Amino acid sequence: MRIAVGRAAQLLLEQDDILILTHQSPDGDTLGCGFALYYALKQKGKRAQVLCPDAWPKKFEYLYKEYKKEDFIPKYVVAVDVADTKLLGQLCPQFEGKIQLCMDHHPSNKLYAQYTLLDENTSAASEILYWVIKAMGADITPLIADCLYTGICTDSGCFKYSSVSPATHRIAADLMELGAHAYEINRDMFDTKTHSRIAIESMALNTVQYFYGGRCAVIYITQQMLEESGADESDLDGVSSIPRQIEGVLCGVTLRQKGPDAYKVSMRTEEPIDASKVCAKMGGGGHKRAAGYMVCAPLEEAIGQVVEALKEEFDN
Amino acid sequence: MRIAVGRAAQLLLEQDDILILTHQSPDGDTLGCGFALYYALKQKGKRAQVLCPDAWPKKFEYLYKEYKKEDFIPKYVVAVDVADTKLLGQLCPQFEGKIQLCMDHHPSNKLYAQYTLLDENTSAASEILYWVIKAMGADITPLIADCLYTGICTDSGCFKYSSVSPATHRIAADLMELGAHAYEINRDMFDTKTHSRIAIESMALNTVQYFYGGRCAVIYITQQMLEESGADESDLDGVSSIPRQIEGVLCGVTLRQKGPDAYKVSMRTEEPIDASKVCAKMGGGGHKRAAGYMVCAPLEEAIGQVVEALKEEFDN
């Protein structure tokens, strides 16, 4: 059942021993939501825990610096920024069908939870959590403000994407007044590149192939390239945006090797190409302007498949 | 004399045949201010003209699409986002000592005008123009909103720099509601790279030299590199930010060749390096985090000079 902000806040206040689930390959929004909610629940005297199928990246350390793991048997399970239980990765079998509350902003949300607070018109799930935490009557401390600001700036490309609304900017203004370290967060998220990031970027750009008369650009990153550049997962943030940034490109595709013949395909598009539709055909999902899926095939075949899947969009 | 917003608006309303001066190598902020003020003055039935020592870049065409040049003898001369009359380039001799009103946000402003509206605590002069235009009682049309939004997003690195305040975000929210095409502007300003931009970026990164134990990075762009990559001035926006983005770098310096032995030096810094102080020593100016100067010397000598000029900052 879909619910509104007030009801979500009420459900959270009524419960205790709350487990907060975040999605795999955790980003600033899922972790920002998770820890903001954790700190708010602690203020309200609850026991709470944040769980993620993958390790928390070190670059988000400032979000979990005051997190203390407590052991308890969860009585209430909440998912934040998780559109589909598949995105819980290895945790999926354990929690499938057992999630009581989901708070999310993805139009592709599968409504798998008992209660869902879904607002597709927000740039980040952290915008929704801002209203929920206020409705819970919790203080937005500087640390909670940092969590929510991180979710918003990372999911909105630092206020650049079409998902940004006047409300996004007003929440950002409030969060800055409440103590968010906006400048430092943006500097670390967007304006700091490791030497290996610079190397992997230049390697990836050397792989660019164009299709549909230059309107589609495809790049790839293999495990060998990662080894040669010394780059790791945390160096790859935002790499998927690169091919779409090339002049005249309406659809940018990035393939990242995940195993011998396994690739994560990320798609970034401009009007009128619907990434969410194309990726859904391939078993994935996401937003209109940003979506993705996993594919098990050799590289050339994987590229051929995604180009073929885009045919209908480019023919129209 | 320094004045407040209301007085600046009053002065503008009292005058007619107004000439608006913008600075050389015009950017989004000086042009955003210039054309926003022009459209507001037209609404108020005034004759007005925008003048710039250099050509208006094509990428800002959407700002001047409704501009109509009128011939008249200026009775009132206004400068926007111009910290120093030197920045009027070839127009300087003509207007030195004749500027009645200056509206600006640079701490280095020389207070050369009869009246100066200066607010150093804004991310862009366009923030100041927002309040002035409102105080003039002019409507902020979608076109004026585009002008002011452009000034703010380009001068704030899309809301990333330390100059961004809660007020910056609230003005951005207002401008979006008033019809600013935020997504399209940000896409064109920040997320579109020509093939020649990609080429010049990779060439420039190949010139990187480190000093002071990796805390200072210097890159350069020669006219030969521009020719080889096919890049022109408009491809170079934001290039000066690149060396500062490298991990561990507190001061990034970019030298752009302007003549046989002439270079424009741009400096971008992190706490505690004061770019404005260092560049002032070299005859230039700007902000604490972003400043620059011109130098006439061969490349290696120009690099040696800037590294030497930074010694005191790095020794402290």
Side-chain angles (χ1 to χ4, degrees), chain A residues 144-214:
Chain A
I144 293 180
D146 275 347
C147 292
L148 297 175
Y149 186 92
T150 298
I152 291 172
C153 77
T154 54
D155 245 34
S156 71
C158 206
F159 307 96
K160 279 202 306 269
Y161 298 160
S162 55
S163 54
V164 171
S165 72
T168 313
H169 279 291
R170 294 201 174 105
I171 294 172
D174 290 352
L175 293 173
M176 286 180 78
E177 274 171 354
L178 292 162
H181 298 80
Y183 169 66
E184 291 80 5
I185 293 171
N186 288 326
R187 185 193 56 200
D188 294 348
M189 295 295 136
F190 299 104
D191 273 353
T192 304
K193 290 187 181 183
T194 58
H195 294 81
S196 29
R197 163 63 182 240
I198 288 173
I200 193 74
E201 233 181 89
S202 126
M203 283 182 192
L205 275 173
N206 281 333
T207 71
V208 67
Q209 299 175 51
Y210 295 99
F211 301 91
Y212 301 110

Side-chain angles (χ1 to χ4, degrees), chain A residues 7-286:
Chain A
R7 181 84 175 105
Q10 189 194 357
L11 284 168
L12 289 162
L13 290 173
E14 283 166 8
Q15 305 294 335
D16 202 348
D17 296 345
I18 296 166
L19 181 69
I20 304 163
L21 298 175
T22 58
H23 65 67
Q24 64 187 6
S25 301
D27 58 14
D29 196 25
T30 201
L31 293 180
C33 288
F35 289 104
L37 181 57
Y38 166 82
Y39 296 122
L41 289 167
K42 294 310 291 174
Q43 266 184 49
K44 292 289 163 187
K46 314 278 185 189
R47 279 197 292 201
Q49 212 184 99
V50 179
L51 199 60
C52 181
D54 297 317
W56 302 333
K58 184 137 174 41
K59 66 186 282 198
F60 295 119
E61 200 174 13
Y62 63 101
L63 302 181
Y64 51 84
K65 63 183 176 186
E66 292 186 22
Y67 177 74
K68 285 182 198 71
K69 197 177 176 308
E70 296 172 282
D71 283 323
F72 58 83
I73 297 174
K75 297 206 193 93
Y76 201 70
V77 182
V78 181
V80 286
D81 194 42
V82 180
D84 189 326
T85 48
K86 276 198 286 188
L87 299 173
L88 295 172
Q90 53 171 346
L91 297 176
C92 179
Q94 193 182 342
F95 293 102
E96 182 92 70
K98 288 178 192 152
I99 297 164
Q100 278 122 321
L101 173 62
C102 168
M103 295 181 278
D104 187 26
H105 73 127
H106 293 90
S108 59
N109 188 289
K110 292 279 195 292
L111 301 175
Y112 55 82
Q114 186 187 359
Y115 294 104
T116 302
L117 169 58
L118 179 66
D119 186 348
E120 305 93 331
N121 297 313
T122 55
S123 69
S126 292
E127 283 193 39
I128 303 169
L129 267 289
Y130 173 76
W131 300 115
V132 171
I133 290 170
K134 275 171 82 96
M136 284 168 64
D139 281 340
I140 299 196
T141 60
L143 181 53
I144 293 180
D146 275 347
C147 292
L148 297 175
Y149 186 92
T150 298
I152 291 172
C153 77
T154 54
D155 245 34
S156 71
C158 206
F159 307 96
K160 279 202 306 269
Y161 298 160
S162 55
S163 54
V164 171
S165 72
T168 313
H169 279 291
R170 294 201 174 105
I171 294 172
D174 290 352
L175 293 173
M176 286 180 78
E177 274 171 354
L178 292 162
H181 298 80
Y183 169 66
E184 291 80 5
I185 293 171
N186 288 326
R187 185 193 56 200
D188 294 348
M189 295 295 136
F190 299 104
D191 273 353
T192 304
K193 290 187 181 183
T194 58
H195 294 81
S196 29
R197 163 63 182 240
I198 288 173
I200 193 74
E201 233 181 89
S202 126
M203 283 182 192
L205 275 173
N206 281 333
T207 71
V208 67
Q209 299 175 51
Y210 295 99
F211 301 91
Y212 301 110
R215 291 174 299 158
C216 171
V218 178
I219 64 169
Y220 59 82
I221 293 171
T222 61
Q223 287 177 328
Q224 198 192 334
M225 286 160 69
L226 286 178
E227 265 166 50
E228 279 172 22
S229 64
D232 61 20
E233 276 298 313
S234 68
D235 291 315
L236 295 180
D237 274 336
V239 163
S240 313
S241 305
I242 294 176
R244 214 274 300 128
Q245 291 177 1
I246 301 169
E247 197 175 27
V249 169
L250 296 178
C251 177
V253 177
T254 305
L255 291 96
R256 276 159 61 177
Q257 191 175 19
K258 293 290 183 177
D261 275 333
Y263 292 87
K264 185 178 165 198
V265 181
S266 301
M267 191 175 284
R268 299 288 181 273
T269 65
E270 285 292 320
E271 283 282 358
I273 312 292
D274 186 338
S276 149
K277 200 171 115 192
V278 178
C279 291
K281 260 199 306 202
M282 308 300 279

Side-chain angles (χ1 to χ4, degrees), chain B residues 234-247:
Chain B
S234 68
D235 291 316
L236 295 181
D237 275 335
V239 162
S240 312
S241 305
I242 294 175
R244 214 274 301 128
Q245 291 176 2
I246 302 169
E247 198 175 27

